[in-house]
Amino acid sequence: MEALHLFKIPSMSFPPSSNPHVLLPTRPTTRTTSLSVFDDWNGLKFIRGKKMLKDLTTWGIGGPCNYFLQVSDQTQLVSAIRYCHEHSIRYIIIGKGSNCLFDDLGFDGCVILNRIEFLERKEAGMYKVGSGFRFNRLGIHCSNQGFSGLEFAGAIPATVGGATYMNAGANAQETGDVIDSVDVVTVQGKLQRLEKNDLNFGYRSSTFQDMKDLAAIVAVTFQLQESGSARTKQQECLERRRTTQPLGERTAGSVFRNPLNVGIAAAELIEKAGLKGFKIGGAVVSNVHANFFVNVGNSTSGDMLDLIALVKDKVDQKFGVQLTEEVLYFHPHCTGLD
């Protein structure tokens, strides 16, 4: 799961695609600017109207965005956020592009691709990591060095920022358990550090999801414990993923959160509802893991939205359990700048 770390995410729902444009509050059309197809603004190279979002996501779904920009350091990210804020351009910051669904109509704003990828070892077991660093790479690196706490990360296709925002977890471990501090930037372009005592993590939830002035996570500092079995545990997590998930296929990770206080996982509920292999257009419920939906052949966003809505309805009818999406859907006019 990823993966996305960004400004404030509004509350999202997944109705059938027959009514796809009532999901989120909208704001007036993005202000017209003088940006050209390849415009250099204050050292930032914006691409206008050419970038397809399907090329930036693991689901392979999504139309064009008005503006696209890739950033590789904190200065570039802050400059991009300030520019978008000052010019009332809605924006989204993505990392690896899992855990999210873009609309076929694209996104009426700027998509910023985060490539802040530094890794700094502060002291034994303490690592400061750029938010665009690959989470699975971090998990493998730390485990190989003999430090425990992120063994599960080696099997998570995400960035550090996305994993922190969503509090990614598996195998009785969660990202928030080993976070020491997080550096963020606000929508006004101000940098801020949140210490461990400032942070609150829950199941697939974090302080960042409720921060009204959050623009992006910039860097995360982890505190891990020395362990002689870390590498073995990490390899076991990776092998478990290989045998239980549809690797090599176009998925976005787990579609639904596991329902709390039910005692049964979302995947098992979907499977018991007889939905493994169920297909709508190019979207299908995986036969390997029922909580993974696969783009098997040019799935549209409408196909995936309809499949999500159908699975929710069937599980609710059969078991009286209302599943909650873990993946995030981005309406073409969604905004976090309110």
Side-chain angles (χ1 to χ4, degrees), residues 8-133:
K8 180 176 178 286
I9 291 286
S11 202
M12 299 186 183
S13 59
F14 289 69
S17 63
S18 58
N19 189 18
H21 302 307
V22 296
L23 301 182
L24 298 173
T26 62
R27 64 189 291 115
T29 302
T30 301
R31 181 184 301 172
T32 302
T33 75
S34 59
L35 289 177
S36 59
V37 174
F38 296 97
D39 197 24
D40 190 322
W41 178 85
N42 197 26
L44 301 176
K45 296 187 182 299
F46 288 85
I47 299 174
R48 185 170 185 178
K50 299 293 185 181
K51 196 68 174 181
M52 297 296 292
L53 298 174
K54 67 179 181 180
D55 297 329
L56 300 175
T57 66
T58 58
W59 243 339
I61 298 172
C65 55
N66 281 7
Y67 307 104
F68 171 76
L69 176 69
Q70 180 172 316
V71 298
S72 58
D73 60 41
Q74 174 180 294
T75 301
Q76 290 179 342
L77 178 61
V78 171
S79 294
I81 290 168
R82 285 175 176 168
Y83 182 88
C84 291
H85 181 69
E86 291 170 4
H87 292 78
S88 298
I89 299 174
R90 44 174 88 83
Y91 61 95
I92 296 172
I93 302 167
I94 67 171
K96 199 171 184 300
S98 61
N99 202 46
C100 58
L101 174 63
F102 283 105
D103 196 278
D104 292 325
L105 294 178
F107 180 64
D108 182 25
C110 182
V111 173
I112 302 171
L113 182 62
N114 177 12
R115 287 293 181 261
I116 304 175
E117 299 178 334
F118 70 85
L119 171 63
E120 177 184 351
R121 180 170 172 175
K122 308 287 287 184
E123 57 186 62
M126 179 172 282
Y127 299 85
K128 184 174 182 179
V129 192
S131 55
F133 197 90

Side-chain angles (χ1 to χ4, degrees), residues 2 38 51 57 88 122 152 172 186 218 230-231 234 293-294 305 309 315:
E2 143 90 333
F38 296 97
K51 196 68 174 181
T57 66
S88 298
K122 308 287 287 184
F152 76 99
T186 69
V218 177
R231 185 177 181 183
Q234 183 271 318
F293 295 2
V294 183
L305 289 170
V315 168

Side-chain angles (χ1 to χ4, degrees), residues 9-17 19-25 101 103 255-256 301 304-306 308-309 312 323-331 334:
I9 291 286
S11 202
M12 299 186 183
S13 59
F14 289 69
S17 63
N19 189 18
H21 302 307
V22 296
L23 301 182
L24 298 173
L101 174 63
D103 196 278
V255 173
F256 298 105
S301 58
M304 202 60 74
L305 289 170
D306 284 344
I308 290 170
K312 286 184 68 174
L323 294 176
T324 300
E325 296 83 11
E326 183 171 318
V327 295
L328 305 172
Y329 167 62
F330 294 95
H331 185 282
C334 73

Side-chain angles (χ1 to χ4, degrees), residues 197-213:
N197 292 338
D198 301 319
L199 303 173
N200 183 36
F201 293 96
Y203 174 65
R204 302 299 174 267
S205 68
S206 71
T207 298
F208 311 104
Q209 296 174 18
D210 298 319
M211 287 181 64
K212 293 182 179 181
D213 64 341

Side-chain angles (χ1 to χ4, degrees), residues 1 152 155-157 169-171 237-249 251-254 286-292 294:
M1 58 167 288
F152 76 99
I156 304 291
N171 308 116
C237 291
L238 189 58
E239 181 59 28
R240 187 177 298 110
R241 178 172 181 260
R242 289 194 183 108
T243 58
T244 61
Q245 297 180 13
L247 300 186
E249 299 190 78
T251 74
S254 295
S286 171
N287 279 306
V288 178
H289 191 304
N291 200 18
F292 282 64
V294 183

